[in-house]
Amino acid sequence: MNLELCDKKSSETLEVIFVKNKKIKTNKKLLENLNFKGEDETSALLLESKKLYVGCEKNDGDSIRNAASTVIKKVNSLNVSSISIEAGENLKEIIEGLELGNYKFDTYKSKKDERKEKTIELVVKKVDEKTIKIFEDSVNVSNSINMVRDFINTPPEDFYPKIMAKAAKKIALENKLDLKVFDDEYFEEKGMGSIKAVGRASRHGSRLIHLTYKPKNAKKKVVLVGKGLTYDSGGLSLKPSDFMVTMKADKSGGCAVLGILNAVAKLGLDIEVHGVIGAVENMIGGDAYKPDDVLTARNGKTIEVKNTDAEGRLVLADCLCYAQDEIKDIDLLVDYATLTGACVVGVGHYTTGIMGNNINLNNKLQQSVTDSGELATVLHFNKFLKKTLKSEIADICNISNTRYGGAITAGLFLNEFIKDEYKDKWIHCDIAGPAFVEHAWGYNPFGASGAGVRFTVEYLQSLK
């Protein structure tokens, strides 16, 4: 797909018309005969007049993204080489819908779905510097999301901690970012017994990846921490076989951080951004960590292990401690993790759970999520649920003593590893729902969605 900016459409192109709010203004009778009503994710092709009508039930950003996604899916099935879309004020949303809707993951297909190259004219009133900037930024963010999708969709045999570190190195070289990578020797030296234990039984050594984007005269310093479980078997608390399928997606938080750093660098934001990723594989074997073990995290807190499948929070605990120790004067600390099935049960497949101690900060992030077209809800901490993490033999248990409120108790566990000076600057994002879904939804395909990238970029752009 080749996107082009222009101030008028070519005469030979197939013209795309978005039917907003189900209001059909032209060719009403023909469209009525085709039973086209302007509903979302529907289209009607009028070959003689070279027009493609696409439903867009609401005139908002995400409806337009979905409509643009419908366009590219329909056009890919047609033997046409060029189309034109009146982009107007919705250039960003249309580009995102086209790029994200056009995504496919066929790396492992022996027979590829060959698509004829399409040229898509995006018609605007004036092709000026501002418009070109919107165009380039939208393409860069979309490409970053699709890169994240590729990482997450790649099977664990081909994407393990060492490979994740290589992916980070490639991003660092391309964008001139600083990169540090640490392994078990460093974990041992720094007393990071939590992350070290989780990866102990894997033949693939764990890595802590630290990427840094540092522009001149940065107005803020932001740290993003990602759970990068390249595969999660559940450890000795072994998952049922059905629940092991899709666990390649347990690295979604770490992959999102890679995508965000890639996008931030390409957009040239005037914010210093650090990405810290715990890349680990949770496996079984004679050296596996066990229920009843007591682990010591980097900050000295002891953790009683009651379930080895609650491993992501153990990895994040040490990564959060590392970030607060090694990076000074943090203005905002955000972590991303496919942390709990409880979050999916509570808010559904498509929605991120936002947690933290600062209600205003949580609400601001939620607004950016909404503005970006993603979905999120704030889950409030509860002092009574905190008591359910009490351990009789250690400082804290890695799981609650109740099955209820699991997303919140996981967030409360992480809160124990946040220093007092950062309590009100920290946000936890549980992306277990939207990160990987086994059916297509809107402009998101089967599999990885790249959740977290768009809303974080949106939020960072809003910082003053």
Side-chain angles (χ1 to χ4, degrees):
M1 181 178 68
N2 178 35
L3 299 181
E4 293 183 356
L5 269 180
C6 55
D7 54 12
K8 60 181 179 179
K9 80 178 192 70
S10 303
S11 59
E12 297 302 313
T13 60
L14 177 68
E15 181 183 5
V16 173
I17 299 171
F18 288 166
V19 177
K20 297 178 180 178
N21 303 312
K22 296 186 178 181
K23 294 180 180 178
I24 302 172
K25 297 179 180 179
T26 58
N27 290 307
K28 288 185 178 181
K29 189 64 178 176
L30 274 174
L31 294 171
E32 185 180 311
N33 291 338
L34 292 171
N35 199 30
F36 176 75
K37 300 175 183 178
E39 296 171 338
D40 283 343
E41 299 183 50
T42 64
S43 63
L45 176 64
L46 304 183
L47 276 175
E48 284 191 10
S49 54
K50 293 183 180 178
K51 295 185 188 299
L52 176 65
Y53 287 82
V54 178
C56 185
E57 290 183 22
K58 295 181 179 179
N59 189 18
D60 59 34
D62 218 44
S63 294
I64 290 165
R65 287 187 192 92
N66 275 315
S69 174
T70 301
V71 169
I72 194 60
K73 290 171 185 175
K74 178 64 177 178
V75 168
N76 281 335
S77 69
L78 301 175
N79 188 26
V80 296
S81 58
S82 61
I83 67 170
S84 67
I85 303 174
E86 188 73 42
E89 299 299 316
N90 300 118
L91 180 62
K92 173 186 173 184
E93 291 81 7
I94 289 172
I95 290 172
E96 289 175 349
L98 291 169
E99 292 282 4
L100 300 179
N102 195 45
Y103 175 85
K104 62 176 179 177
F105 185 74
D106 61 0
T107 304
Y108 295 87
K109 293 276 190 181
S110 57
K111 186 176 180 181
K112 311 292 185 186
D113 177 21
E114 297 297 333
R115 294 175 178 173
K116 185 178 178 180
E117 184 70 16
K118 313 290 183 183
T119 296
I120 300 179
E121 297 177 351
L122 301 171
V123 183
V124 294
K125 287 183 179 179
K126 185 179 181 182
V127 181
D128 53 15
E129 286 186 14
K130 181 181 177 181
T131 306
I132 292 170
K133 174 68 171 167
I134 293 171
F135 177 90
E136 291 176 345
D137 286 355
S138 302
V139 169
N140 281 325
V141 171
S142 299
N143 287 343
S144 295
I145 293 169
N146 285 336
M147 177 186 71
V148 170
R149 290 171 168 181
D150 280 345
F151 290 163
I152 298 168
N153 286 328
T154 301
E157 185 63 17
D158 294 332
F159 202 99
Y160 42 89
K162 183 179 178 180
I163 301 301
M164 198 169 197
K166 285 185 176 180
K169 183 177 181 180
K170 183 178 179 182
I171 291 169
L173 290 172
E174 184 177 314
N175 296 289
K176 298 180 181 178
L177 307 180
D178 293 331
L179 173 66
K180 298 176 184 176
V181 180
F182 303 102
D183 58 16
D184 283 328
E185 186 177 336
Y186 179 85
F187 304 153
E188 184 71 31
E189 176 190 338
K190 295 295 183 179
M192 299 170 71
S194 191
I195 187 174
K196 187 173 185 292
V198 175
R200 207 166 63 199
S202 173
R203 65 190 176 95
H204 299 298
S206 302
R207 300 287 190 275
L208 187 147
I209 301 162
H210 181 180
L211 275 168
T212 305
Y213 165 74
K214 194 171 184 178
K216 292 181 180 179
N217 304 315
K219 61 186 180 184
K220 297 282 185 182
K221 185 184 291 185
V222 175
V223 179
L224 314 175
V225 178
K227 171 188 171 184
L229 264 291
T230 58
Y231 190 74
D232 178 23
S233 68
L236 292 179
S237 304
L238 196 65
K239 292 178 184 289
S241 58
D242 286 352
F243 286 82
M244 282 195 209
V245 178
T246 75
M247 279 302 103
K248 64 182 180 181
D250 216 19
K251 58 183 179 286
S252 296
C255 293
V257 170
L258 291 178
I260 295 164
L261 264 292
N262 187 69
V264 164
K266 285 184 163 48
L267 268 58
L269 299 189
D270 55 353
I271 298 168
E272 182 176 328
V273 184
H274 295 256
V276 177
I277 300 159
V280 184
E281 188 177 68
N282 184 25
M283 296 298 288
I284 59 173
D287 196 29
Y289 80 118
K290 301 169 286 295
D292 280 346
D293 278 349
V294 175
L295 311 177
T296 303
R298 178 171 171 140
N299 67 349
K301 284 203 172 184
T302 56
I303 306 165
E304 180 185 1
V305 177
K306 287 194 172 181
N307 189 319
T308 64
D309 195 21
E311 84 303 324
R313 65 198 70 182
L314 299 176
V315 171
L316 283 175
D318 268 338
C319 288
L320 286 165
C321 289
Y322 166 89
Q324 294 165 92
D325 288 347
E326 301 297 329
I327 306 165
K328 306 303 178 186
D329 303 318
I330 301 169
D331 293 304
L332 177 68
L333 176 61
V334 187
D335 74 71
Y336 308 80
T338 47
L339 206 60
T340 65
C343 196
V344 189
V345 172
V347 300
H349 274 303
Y350 314 109
T351 303
T352 293
I354 295 175
M355 286 159 264
N357 302 293
N358 187 331
I359 299 302
N360 290 333
L361 191 60
N362 295 345
N363 290 338
K364 286 178 182 177
L365 181 62
Q366 185 185 29
Q367 185 59 55
S368 289
V369 176
T370 301
D371 292 343
S372 75
E374 295 194 59
L375 299 169
T377 190
V378 174
L379 302 175
H380 298 282
F381 281 163
N382 180 319
K383 65 182 180 181
F384 300 105
L385 281 175
K386 181 180 178 180
K387 297 177 182 179
T388 67
L389 291 166
K390 182 181 177 182
S391 168
E392 296 298 331
I393 65 168
D395 295 329
I396 193 170
C397 282
N398 79 321
I399 61 167
S400 166
N401 63 19
T402 174
R403 63 183 291 186
Y404 302 110
I408 296 172
T409 55
L412 286 167
F413 175 89
L414 295 178
N415 188 45
E416 293 297 309
F417 300 88
I418 304 298
K419 294 180 180 181
D420 288 343
E421 61 262 39
Y422 294 125
K423 290 287 188 185
D424 285 339
K425 298 180 179 181
W426 165 68
I427 306 174
H428 163 55
C429 299
D430 192 331
I431 59 171
F436 192 98
V437 177
E438 291 184 274
H439 52 262
W441 48 292
Y443 42 81
N444 295 293
F446 169 97
S449 68
V453 177
R454 264 189 307 143
F455 76 67
T456 303
V457 171
E458 186 82 24
Y459 184 76
L460 295 179
Q461 289 175 318
S462 74
L463 293 178
K464 304 296 182 186

